[in-house]
Amino acid sequence: MIQRHFDYLVVGAGLFGSVFSHEVMGQGKSCLVIDKRPYVAGNIYTSKVRGIHVHEFGAHIFHTSDREVWDYINQFAQFNHFVNSPMAVYKEEIYNLPFNMNTFSRLWGIKTPNEAKAKVGSQVVSLPGGKEASNLEQQALALVGRDIYEKLIKGYTEKQWGRDCVELPAFIIKRIPLRYTYDNNYFTDPYQGIPVDGYTAIVDKLLEGAKVLLGTDYRNFCKEQEQCREQGKDCFSWDKVLYTGMIDEYFDFCLGNLAYRSLRFEKEDMPEVDNFQGNAVINYTEREIPYTRIIEHKHFQFGEGEGTVITREYPADWEPGMEPYYPVNDEANNQLFAKYQKLAQKEKNVLFGGRLGQYRYYDMDKVIKAALLMAQEEIRSTV
Ligand code: FAD
């Protein structure tokens, strides 16, 4: 007999929804998981092309300083020892990121930390009378000086936000870490790597035991089930919902739209090319080049796979219907989100989670942590 009643309807088969499902199923609960996309894993979805795991929604590097989360995710995957060391191209020049002694040495031909500090010190532009920066350009110039700002920050940031740095608020860049060591490892977390079988395989494992319906939008699904019920047909039912879609969409945008930045990914399959750029991630910091970075996926797995696949990443304004990648957590949007949260608290038997349900930029480790906490809370409250 087909199971029709579930303890949870989980909307979204991304990382949050799948970790939550796995945990509650481990406590004997049943989950019906739906996703409007035709595949599981949400934004960490990886497809496979000639042995290359393609990060379809941008480079995803797992990194964390949380031992518990690291041990948790390692139950579902084996990780390689990839270390993120992106490069930046500005015109004909190529630099190491994050800003470190390799970058400074290439910029100024210097060798020692003292020389680099002196150079930065001579270039920073302090504001008269200790005044606060009134835009991002002033802020960046005060923090790192002209060369780093103009070659490595200005054009990239302007492409990311679609606005000139002088029109962007200073708070976007609170601090710009400068590393006075020859260390190209982007992250400082003790645990870092890429799952050797790709991210989708992790989500497949997390969702074992769940009933998964893909290509299924929440609103339409609810309507269909309602109609089924009215017609006395067999239909799905559930006690509680975990919603990991956009919180404003759940409430039919009744208080207005939350703002996002979007991205466009242009994938190019190059079966005849062995090695296109020699690194997994290269940022393009000139404003005149429309994309912000090129990912060459095979370098996440040390060159495994035949040919190569690259993806150019273009920042884009978000409009309804586009994928909302980055929440714009400015004051106005945070206030609007707080109002939606108040509505959410009044909803009976509905939980909101994940980057869209909580309107927050979340790295994967933070998503896992939050989903584990929510599942524990659920288990506690239903015992
Ligand atoms: P999602 O993955 O978005 O899952 C939500 C799911 O809900 C989606 O599958 C969606 O289709 C579905 N859904 C939404 N609405 C509905 C509906 N109405 N009906 C049915 N289904 C619905 N993190 C890192 O740790 N390291 C990185 O290097 C990193 N790089 C990133 C790069 C980019 C470009 C971006 C945008 C993010 C990056 N992240 C990274 C963050 C990472 O992608 C997120 O932490 C993670 O994907 C969030 O999982 P989620 O389940 O909250 O959301």
Side-chain angles (χ1 to χ4, degrees), residues 11-17 34-37 41-44 57-61 63 216-218 243-246 249 263 265 293 313 325-326 354-356 361-365 367:
V11 182
L15 189 58
F16 194 101
I34 62 168
D35 203 298
K36 62 183 176 185
R37 301 186 191 189
N43 280 355
I44 65 170
F57 300 98
H60 276 76
I61 299 121
H63 60 99
T216 304
D217 175 71
Y218 175 64
Y243 190 84
T244 71
M246 290 160 66
E249 187 178 46
L263 293 169
F265 296 105
R293 47 186 186 168
E313 193 173 307
Y325 286 105
Y326 297 112
R355 65 182 189 98
L356 299 171
Y361 178 82
Y362 257 144
D363 270 334
M364 290 178 277
D365 60 330
V367 166

Tab-separated table of all heavy atoms in Angstrom, residues 11-17 34-37 41-44 57-61 63 216-218 243-246 249 263 265 293 313 325-326 354-356 361-365 367, ligand 1:
chain	number	residue	atom	x	y	z
A	11	VAL	N	9.429	20.919	2.602
A	11	VAL	CA	9.429	21.654	1.333
A	11	VAL	C	10.858	22.105	1.057
A	11	VAL	O	11.386	22.981	1.741
A	11	VAL	CB	8.474	22.863	1.392
A	11	VAL	CG1	8.458	23.590	0.047
A	11	VAL	CG2	7.084	22.411	1.800
A	12	GLY	N	11.487	21.476	0.068
A	12	GLY	CA	12.867	21.800	-0.285
A	12	GLY	C	13.788	20.645	0.048
A	12	GLY	O	13.971	20.297	1.213
A	13	ALA	N	14.376	20.043	-0.999
A	13	ALA	CA	15.318	18.930	-0.810
A	13	ALA	C	16.752	19.440	-0.839
A	13	ALA	O	17.659	18.768	-1.314
A	13	ALA	CB	15.092	17.875	-1.894
A	14	GLY	N	16.955	20.675	-0.357
A	14	GLY	CA	18.316	21.217	-0.224
A	14	GLY	C	18.969	20.646	1.020
A	14	GLY	O	18.469	19.698	1.640
A	15	LEU	N	20.085	21.229	1.406
A	15	LEU	CA	20.840	20.686	2.542
A	15	LEU	C	20.047	20.787	3.839
A	15	LEU	O	20.023	19.843	4.640
A	15	LEU	CB	22.170	21.459	2.664
A	15	LEU	CG	23.184	20.908	3.651
A	15	LEU	CD1	23.569	19.467	3.327
A	15	LEU	CD2	24.441	21.783	3.661
A	16	PHE	N	19.365	21.900	4.049
A	16	PHE	CA	18.627	22.057	5.302
A	16	PHE	C	17.521	21.004	5.399
A	16	PHE	O	17.428	20.276	6.386
A	16	PHE	CB	18.032	23.474	5.407
A	16	PHE	CG	17.547	23.800	6.796
A	16	PHE	CD1	18.314	24.585	7.644
A	16	PHE	CD2	16.335	23.312	7.277
A	16	PHE	CE1	17.893	24.872	8.935
A	16	PHE	CE2	15.904	23.586	8.564
A	16	PHE	CZ	16.679	24.376	9.398
A	17	GLY	N	16.705	20.937	4.358
A	17	GLY	CA	15.571	20.001	4.369
A	17	GLY	C	16.036	18.567	4.503
A	17	GLY	O	15.408	17.751	5.200
A	34	ILE	N	9.306	17.423	-0.835
A	34	ILE	CA	9.007	17.876	-2.199
A	34	ILE	C	9.996	18.964	-2.602
A	34	ILE	O	10.509	19.701	-1.759
A	34	ILE	CB	7.556	18.416	-2.347
A	34	ILE	CG1	7.307	19.644	-1.465
A	34	ILE	CG2	6.544	17.325	-2.066
A	34	ILE	CD1	6.006	20.367	-1.797
A	35	ASP	N	10.277	19.039	-3.880
A	35	ASP	CA	11.112	20.138	-4.380
A	35	ASP	C	10.615	20.519	-5.764
A	35	ASP	O	10.288	19.654	-6.577
A	35	ASP	CB	12.590	19.737	-4.441
A	35	ASP	CG	13.486	20.972	-4.405
A	35	ASP	OD1	13.394	21.816	-5.345
A	35	ASP	OD2	14.260	21.124	-3.442
A	36	LYS	N	10.595	21.812	-6.017
A	36	LYS	CA	10.099	22.251	-7.326
A	36	LYS	C	11.109	21.983	-8.435
A	36	LYS	O	10.764	21.959	-9.602
A	36	LYS	CB	9.710	23.726	-7.275
A	36	LYS	CG	10.821	24.683	-6.952
A	36	LYS	CD	10.264	26.101	-6.852
A	36	LYS	CE	11.344	27.072	-6.427
A	36	LYS	NZ	10.823	28.422	-6.217
A	37	ARG	N	12.376	21.780	-8.070
A	37	ARG	CA	13.389	21.480	-9.086
A	37	ARG	C	13.310	19.989	-9.457
A	37	ARG	O	12.787	19.182	-8.690
A	37	ARG	CB	14.791	21.763	-8.537
A	37	ARG	CG	14.978	23.199	-8.102
A	37	ARG	CD	16.423	23.443	-7.697
A	37	ARG	NE	16.577	24.730	-7.037
A	37	ARG	CZ	17.748	25.263	-6.737
A	37	ARG	NH1	18.868	24.645	-7.036
A	37	ARG	NH2	17.813	26.447	-6.130
A	41	ALA	N	19.088	18.321	-3.697
A	41	ALA	CA	20.335	18.990	-3.263
A	41	ALA	C	20.301	20.521	-3.384
A	41	ALA	O	21.238	21.189	-2.934
A	41	ALA	CB	21.578	18.425	-3.951
A	42	GLY	N	19.251	21.079	-3.985
A	42	GLY	CA	19.143	22.543	-4.036
A	42	GLY	C	20.388	23.160	-4.641
A	42	GLY	O	20.882	22.691	-5.674
A	43	ASN	N	20.938	24.148	-3.980
A	43	ASN	CA	22.083	24.868	-4.550
A	43	ASN	C	23.408	24.145	-4.412
A	43	ASN	O	24.411	24.603	-4.938
A	43	ASN	CB	22.206	26.259	-3.903
A	43	ASN	CG	21.221	27.214	-4.526
A	43	ASN	OD1	20.535	26.868	-5.488
A	43	ASN	ND2	21.133	28.413	-3.994
A	44	ILE	N	23.429	23.017	-3.695
A	44	ILE	CA	24.698	22.281	-3.664
A	44	ILE	C	24.683	21.130	-4.686
A	44	ILE	O	25.560	20.272	-4.675
A	44	ILE	CB	25.070	21.780	-2.241
A	44	ILE	CG1	24.068	20.746	-1.703
A	44	ILE	CG2	25.190	22.943	-1.260
A	44	ILE	CD1	24.555	20.062	-0.425
A	57	PHE	N	25.649	25.355	-9.177
A	57	PHE	CA	25.268	26.671	-8.634
A	57	PHE	C	26.433	27.346	-7.922
A	57	PHE	O	26.312	27.844	-6.806
A	57	PHE	CB	24.043	26.530	-7.713
A	57	PHE	CG	22.863	25.970	-8.443
A	57	PHE	CD1	22.550	24.625	-8.373
A	57	PHE	CD2	22.101	26.788	-9.269
A	57	PHE	CE1	21.481	24.102	-9.085
A	57	PHE	CE2	21.033	26.267	-9.999
A	57	PHE	CZ	20.717	24.925	-9.903
A	58	GLY	N	27.560	27.365	-8.590
A	58	GLY	CA	28.709	28.079	-8.045
A	58	GLY	C	29.601	27.168	-7.222
A	58	GLY	O	29.177	26.124	-6.721
A	59	ALA	N	30.850	27.603	-7.084
A	59	ALA	CA	31.857	26.811	-6.363
A	59	ALA	C	31.409	26.566	-4.936
A	59	ALA	O	31.097	27.516	-4.214
A	59	ALA	CB	33.168	27.591	-6.346
A	60	HIS	N	31.393	25.316	-4.517
A	60	HIS	CA	31.043	24.987	-3.133
A	60	HIS	C	32.184	24.240	-2.455
A	60	HIS	O	32.472	23.083	-2.788
A	60	HIS	CB	29.760	24.158	-3.084
A	60	HIS	CG	28.537	25.013	-3.136
A	60	HIS	ND1	28.085	25.599	-4.284
A	60	HIS	CD2	27.698	25.425	-2.144
A	60	HIS	CE1	27.004	26.319	-4.009
A	60	HIS	NE2	26.752	26.238	-2.723
A	61	ILE	N	32.799	24.907	-1.531
A	61	ILE	CA	33.912	24.312	-0.781
A	61	ILE	C	33.439	24.130	0.652
A	61	ILE	O	32.998	25.096	1.292
A	61	ILE	CB	35.159	25.226	-0.821
A	61	ILE	CG1	35.603	25.399	-2.268
A	61	ILE	CG2	36.293	24.660	0.031
A	61	ILE	CD1	35.635	26.790	-2.744
A	63	HIS	N	33.878	23.909	4.385
A	63	HIS	CA	34.895	24.302	5.383
A	63	HIS	C	34.177	24.616	6.682
A	63	HIS	O	33.083	25.176	6.692
A	63	HIS	CB	35.695	25.517	4.894
A	63	HIS	CG	34.856	26.724	4.644
A	63	HIS	ND1	34.731	27.753	5.548
A	63	HIS	CD2	34.054	27.063	3.604
A	63	HIS	CE1	33.914	28.659	5.074
A	63	HIS	NE2	33.469	28.274	3.894
A	216	THR	N	7.884	19.496	-7.968
A	216	THR	CA	6.633	19.674	-7.225
A	216	THR	C	6.680	20.956	-6.403
A	216	THR	O	7.447	21.052	-5.433
A	216	THR	CB	6.408	18.454	-6.285
A	216	THR	OG1	6.438	17.270	-7.086
A	216	THR	CG2	5.093	18.539	-5.545
A	217	ASP	N	5.899	21.927	-6.815
A	217	ASP	CA	5.878	23.207	-6.099
A	217	ASP	C	4.887	23.148	-4.931
A	217	ASP	O	3.787	22.604	-5.081
A	217	ASP	CB	5.466	24.320	-7.084
A	217	ASP	CG	5.307	25.638	-6.373
A	217	ASP	OD1	6.341	26.199	-5.965
A	217	ASP	OD2	4.157	26.085	-6.178
A	218	TYR	N	5.264	23.729	-3.825
A	218	TYR	CA	4.469	23.635	-2.593
A	218	TYR	C	3.019	24.067	-2.786
A	218	TYR	O	2.081	23.355	-2.441
A	218	TYR	CB	5.132	24.490	-1.515
A	218	TYR	CG	4.346	24.579	-0.230
A	218	TYR	CD1	4.109	23.454	0.543
A	218	TYR	CD2	3.852	25.806	0.213
A	218	TYR	CE1	3.394	23.533	1.730
A	218	TYR	CE2	3.143	25.894	1.400
A	218	TYR	CZ	2.907	24.757	2.148
A	218	TYR	OH	2.202	24.843	3.314
A	243	TYR	N	9.314	24.362	5.944
A	243	TYR	CA	9.355	25.125	4.699
A	243	TYR	C	10.732	25.757	4.540
A	243	TYR	O	11.146	26.557	5.389
A	243	TYR	CB	8.259	26.204	4.750
A	243	TYR	CG	8.053	26.904	3.437
A	243	TYR	CD1	7.234	26.360	2.459
A	243	TYR	CD2	8.665	28.127	3.178
A	243	TYR	CE1	7.042	27.001	1.243
A	243	TYR	CE2	8.472	28.780	1.963
A	243	TYR	CZ	7.667	28.203	1.008
A	243	TYR	OH	7.467	28.847	-0.199
A	244	THR	N	11.459	25.372	3.467
A	244	THR	CA	12.792	25.965	3.259
A	244	THR	C	12.827	26.829	1.989
A	244	THR	O	13.891	27.131	1.470
A	244	THR	CB	13.924	24.893	3.204
A	244	THR	OG1	13.808	24.156	1.972
A	244	THR	CG2	13.869	23.949	4.380
A	245	GLY	N	11.653	27.223	1.507
A	245	GLY	CA	11.584	28.156	0.381
A	245	GLY	C	11.600	29.593	0.902
A	245	GLY	O	11.856	29.843	2.088
A	246	MET	N	11.302	30.548	0.015
A	246	MET	CA	11.328	31.967	0.402
A	246	MET	C	10.174	32.273	1.364
A	246	MET	O	9.017	32.013	1.037
A	246	MET	CB	11.173	32.842	-0.850
A	246	MET	CG	12.376	32.816	-1.765
A	246	MET	SD	11.953	33.361	-3.434
A	246	MET	CE	11.544	35.058	-3.122
A	249	GLU	N	7.471	34.466	-0.098
A	249	GLU	CA	6.621	33.764	-1.059
A	249	GLU	C	5.569	32.917	-0.325
A	249	GLU	O	4.413	32.839	-0.747
A	249	GLU	CB	7.476	32.869	-1.956
A	249	GLU	CG	6.698	32.231	-3.089
A	249	GLU	CD	7.570	31.385	-3.999
A	249	GLU	OE1	8.394	30.591	-3.498
A	249	GLU	OE2	7.422	31.526	-5.219
A	263	LEU	N	22.474	35.510	-9.603
A	263	LEU	CA	23.663	35.156	-10.381
A	263	LEU	C	23.201	34.452	-11.644
A	263	LEU	O	22.137	33.828	-11.650
A	263	LEU	CB	24.539	34.162	-9.619
A	263	LEU	CG	25.234	34.607	-8.337
A	263	LEU	CD1	25.823	33.392	-7.618
A	263	LEU	CD2	26.334	35.609	-8.647
A	265	PHE	N	24.803	31.644	-14.340
A	265	PHE	CA	25.946	30.753	-14.557
A	265	PHE	C	25.973	30.338	-16.024
A	265	PHE	O	24.965	29.879	-16.560
A	265	PHE	CB	25.821	29.511	-13.680
A	265	PHE	CG	25.864	29.822	-12.210
A	265	PHE	CD1	24.703	29.792	-11.451
A	265	PHE	CD2	27.056	30.166	-11.594
A	265	PHE	CE1	24.738	30.083	-10.098
A	265	PHE	CE2	27.104	30.463	-10.247
A	265	PHE	CZ	25.934	30.425	-9.490
A	293	ARG	N	33.864	35.577	-11.886
A	293	ARG	CA	34.856	34.510	-11.756
A	293	ARG	C	34.612	33.371	-12.739
A	293	ARG	O	33.517	33.235	-13.287
A	293	ARG	CB	34.939	33.979	-10.334
A	293	ARG	CG	33.619	33.683	-9.665
A	293	ARG	CD	33.871	33.311	-8.214
A	293	ARG	NE	32.656	32.891	-7.556
A	293	ARG	CZ	32.615	32.306	-6.375
A	293	ARG	NH1	33.724	32.062	-5.720
A	293	ARG	NH2	31.468	31.957	-5.831
A	313	GLU	N	30.652	33.061	-13.927
A	313	GLU	CA	29.619	33.499	-12.977
A	313	GLU	C	29.369	34.997	-13.173
A	313	GLU	O	30.290	35.807	-13.031
A	313	GLU	CB	30.150	33.216	-11.573
A	313	GLU	CG	29.133	33.319	-10.492
A	313	GLU	CD	29.718	32.847	-9.148
A	313	GLU	OE1	30.253	31.725	-9.070
A	313	GLU	OE2	29.647	33.636	-8.204
A	325	TYR	N	19.902	34.227	-4.833
A	325	TYR	CA	21.102	33.626	-4.236
A	325	TYR	C	21.529	34.298	-2.933
A	325	TYR	O	21.821	33.638	-1.954
A	325	TYR	CB	22.269	33.637	-5.226
A	325	TYR	CG	22.074	32.607	-6.303
A	325	TYR	CD1	21.690	32.971	-7.591
A	325	TYR	CD2	22.237	31.258	-6.026
A	325	TYR	CE1	21.484	32.016	-8.565
A	325	TYR	CE2	22.033	30.293	-6.992
A	325	TYR	CZ	21.652	30.682	-8.265
A	325	TYR	OH	21.440	29.736	-9.205
A	326	TYR	N	21.598	35.628	-2.965
A	326	TYR	CA	22.113	36.317	-1.782
A	326	TYR	C	21.070	37.269	-1.226
A	326	TYR	O	20.631	38.179	-1.931
A	326	TYR	CB	23.364	37.135	-2.141
A	326	TYR	CG	24.511	36.297	-2.626
A	326	TYR	CD1	24.941	36.369	-3.950
A	326	TYR	CD2	25.177	35.433	-1.758
A	326	TYR	CE1	26.007	35.600	-4.407
A	326	TYR	CE2	26.240	34.656	-2.210
A	326	TYR	CZ	26.650	34.745	-3.533
A	326	TYR	OH	27.694	33.978	-3.971
A	354	GLY	N	16.526	27.174	6.698
A	354	GLY	CA	17.384	27.312	5.518
A	354	GLY	C	17.609	28.759	5.129
A	354	GLY	O	17.097	29.682	5.740
A	355	ARG	N	18.371	28.926	4.069
A	355	ARG	CA	18.808	30.272	3.673
A	355	ARG	C	17.636	31.148	3.230
A	355	ARG	O	17.654	32.359	3.433
A	355	ARG	CB	19.858	30.169	2.567
A	355	ARG	CG	19.288	29.575	1.302
A	355	ARG	CD	20.270	29.387	0.184
A	355	ARG	NE	19.515	29.016	-1.002
A	355	ARG	CZ	19.160	29.843	-1.949
A	355	ARG	NH1	19.511	31.098	-1.910
A	355	ARG	NH2	18.438	29.428	-2.974
A	356	LEU	N	16.589	30.511	2.645
A	356	LEU	CA	15.458	31.301	2.146
A	356	LEU	C	14.384	31.488	3.209
A	356	LEU	O	13.768	32.544	3.299
A	356	LEU	CB	14.845	30.620	0.918
A	356	LEU	CG	15.786	30.453	-0.272
A	356	LEU	CD1	15.159	29.576	-1.345
A	356	LEU	CD2	16.147	31.812	-0.848
A	361	TYR	N	22.418	34.653	4.634
A	361	TYR	CA	23.452	33.919	3.930
A	361	TYR	C	24.035	32.901	4.905
A	361	TYR	O	24.491	33.264	5.990
A	361	TYR	CB	24.570	34.810	3.366
A	361	TYR	CG	25.601	33.911	2.712
A	361	TYR	CD1	25.400	33.444	1.426
A	361	TYR	CD2	26.692	33.440	3.422
A	361	TYR	CE1	26.272	32.536	0.847
A	361	TYR	CE2	27.575	32.522	2.862
A	361	TYR	CZ	27.355	32.083	1.566
A	361	TYR	OH	28.212	31.179	1.013
A	362	TYR	N	23.987	31.671	4.520
A	362	TYR	CA	24.406	30.577	5.374
A	362	TYR	C	25.438	29.735	4.628
A	362	TYR	O	25.139	29.232	3.550
A	362	TYR	CB	23.208	29.635	5.509
A	362	TYR	CG	22.402	29.643	6.756
A	362	TYR	CD1	21.014	29.443	6.659
A	362	TYR	CD2	22.958	29.755	7.996
A	362	TYR	CE1	20.224	29.381	7.786
A	362	TYR	CE2	22.170	29.692	9.124
A	362	TYR	CZ	20.818	29.509	9.023
A	362	TYR	OH	20.034	29.422	10.126
A	363	ASP	N	26.606	29.512	5.177
A	363	ASP	CA	27.493	28.508	4.604
A	363	ASP	C	26.928	27.124	4.943
A	363	ASP	O	26.099	26.998	5.855
A	363	ASP	CB	28.909	28.658	5.174
A	363	ASP	CG	29.762	29.598	4.321
A	363	ASP	OD1	29.477	29.728	3.115
A	363	ASP	OD2	30.708	30.198	4.869
A	364	MET	N	27.442	26.109	4.244
A	364	MET	CA	26.856	24.772	4.431
A	364	MET	C	26.974	24.274	5.870
A	364	MET	O	26.058	23.624	6.383
A	364	MET	CB	27.545	23.767	3.492
A	364	MET	CG	27.210	23.982	2.035
A	364	MET	SD	28.091	22.805	0.985
A	364	MET	CE	29.668	23.594	0.796
A	365	ASP	N	28.098	24.553	6.512
A	365	ASP	CA	28.259	24.042	7.882
A	365	ASP	C	27.232	24.667	8.821
A	365	ASP	O	26.695	24.012	9.712
A	365	ASP	CB	29.687	24.260	8.399
A	365	ASP	CG	30.108	25.711	8.437
A	365	ASP	OD1	29.632	26.504	7.604
A	365	ASP	OD2	30.903	26.070	9.330
A	367	VAL	N	24.273	25.741	7.893
A	367	VAL	CA	22.975	25.148	7.533
A	367	VAL	C	22.801	23.813	8.257
A	367	VAL	O	21.744	23.529	8.829
A	367	VAL	CB	22.874	24.954	5.998
A	367	VAL	CG1	21.724	24.043	5.621
A	367	VAL	CG2	22.707	26.287	5.306
B	1	FAD	P1	18.664	25.520	-0.972
B	1	FAD	O1	19.834	24.745	-1.386
B	1	FAD	O2	18.293	26.703	-1.788
B	1	FAD	O3	17.418	24.563	-0.871
B	1	FAD	C1	16.087	25.016	-0.860
B	1	FAD	C2	15.294	24.131	-1.783
B	1	FAD	O4	13.906	24.483	-1.657
B	1	FAD	C3	15.657	24.309	-3.245
B	1	FAD	O5	16.003	23.061	-3.801
B	1	FAD	C4	14.375	24.875	-3.875
B	1	FAD	O6	14.152	24.403	-5.192
B	1	FAD	C5	13.311	24.378	-2.922
B	1	FAD	N1	12.106	25.220	-2.928
B	1	FAD	C6	12.034	26.541	-2.715
B	1	FAD	N2	10.753	26.960	-2.795
B	1	FAD	C7	10.000	25.868	-3.057
B	1	FAD	C8	8.615	25.669	-3.245
B	1	FAD	N3	7.740	26.680	-3.198
B	1	FAD	N4	8.179	24.411	-3.510
B	1	FAD	C9	9.063	23.371	-3.579
B	1	FAD	N5	10.391	23.510	-3.400
B	1	FAD	C10	10.860	24.743	-3.135
B	1	FAD	N6	28.533	27.382	1.352
B	1	FAD	C11	29.696	26.854	1.787
B	1	FAD	O7	29.764	26.316	2.893
B	1	FAD	N7	30.816	26.884	0.993
B	1	FAD	C12	30.823	27.465	-0.236
B	1	FAD	O8	31.860	27.477	-0.910
B	1	FAD	C13	29.612	28.043	-0.706
B	1	FAD	N8	29.565	28.630	-1.912
B	1	FAD	C14	28.395	29.201	-2.331
B	1	FAD	C15	28.388	29.795	-3.586
B	1	FAD	C16	27.231	30.401	-4.057
B	1	FAD	C17	27.238	31.040	-5.408
B	1	FAD	C18	26.071	30.419	-3.240
B	1	FAD	C19	24.837	31.107	-3.714
B	1	FAD	C20	26.070	29.794	-2.004
B	1	FAD	C21	27.236	29.177	-1.533
B	1	FAD	N9	27.265	28.511	-0.317
B	1	FAD	C22	28.448	27.972	0.134
B	1	FAD	C23	26.057	28.382	0.532
B	1	FAD	C24	25.247	27.096	0.241
B	1	FAD	O9	24.823	27.077	-1.093
B	1	FAD	C25	24.047	27.058	1.200
B	1	FAD	O10	24.508	26.978	2.508
B	1	FAD	C26	23.076	25.888	0.997
B	1	FAD	O11	22.849	25.574	-0.341
B	1	FAD	C27	21.741	26.255	1.638
B	1	FAD	O12	20.886	25.130	1.695
B	1	FAD	P2	19.312	25.336	1.878
B	1	FAD	O13	18.719	23.987	2.008
B	1	FAD	O14	19.066	26.324	2.946
B	1	FAD	O15	18.827	26.063	0.549
